[in-house]
Amino acid sequence: MNSESGKINWYTPTRNSIKNEISTDGNSIFAEDCQGNVYAISAKDGTILWSRALSNIPYHTRGCAMVKGDMVYVGTGRKPFFLDKHTGEVIF
């Protein structure tokens, strides 16, 4: 969304609602939806760069995506996941 005009610059559909906190590294936006699907989205145009369906994650609405360096941290307190921010590959 354009911060000055309020115009929507792009829109990206996801498999479920994103009610959790999102994170950015300046080029990409990282988000996890309520079913545990994680997305890396281009901040420039909204293109989905990769998505990953996390296994053994119960339906939830609380969580967040955090990015630091080359890692994206997602999941819940009971089941965290560490993903490579470039590929979405599960590291841990």
Side-chain angles (χ1 to χ4, degrees), residues 23-62:
S23 186
T24 183
D25 65 1
N27 297 312
S28 301
I29 298 166
F30 301 93
E32 180 181 3
D33 72 17
C34 294
Q35 284 183 299
N37 300 301
V38 182
Y39 306 89
I41 302 167
S42 168
K44 180 180 177 182
D45 62 10
T47 301
I48 293 181
L49 305 170
W50 56 258
S51 67
R52 168 81 54 202
L54 300 178
S55 61
N56 299 322
I57 266 265
Y59 182 84
H60 66 282
T61 58
R62 299 294 295 164

Side-chain angles (χ1 to χ4, degrees), residues 18 20-25 28-33 36-40 50 52 54 57 60 62-92:
I18 295 175
N20 304 313
E21 295 179 32
I22 62 172
S23 186
T24 183
D25 65 1
S28 301
I29 298 166
F30 301 93
E32 180 181 3
D33 72 17
N37 300 301
V38 182
Y39 306 89
W50 56 258
R52 168 81 54 202
L54 300 178
I57 266 265
H60 66 282
R62 299 294 295 164
C64 65
M66 297 178 289
V67 62
K68 182 166 182 160
D70 288 334
M71 300 289 282
V72 178
Y73 305 93
V74 294
T76 66
R78 292 182 146 180
K79 184 69 175 170
F81 289 87
F82 303 167
L83 308 178
D84 180 290
K85 83 170 186 180
H86 303 288
T87 65
E89 177 185 351
V90 176
I91 305 299
F92 173 79

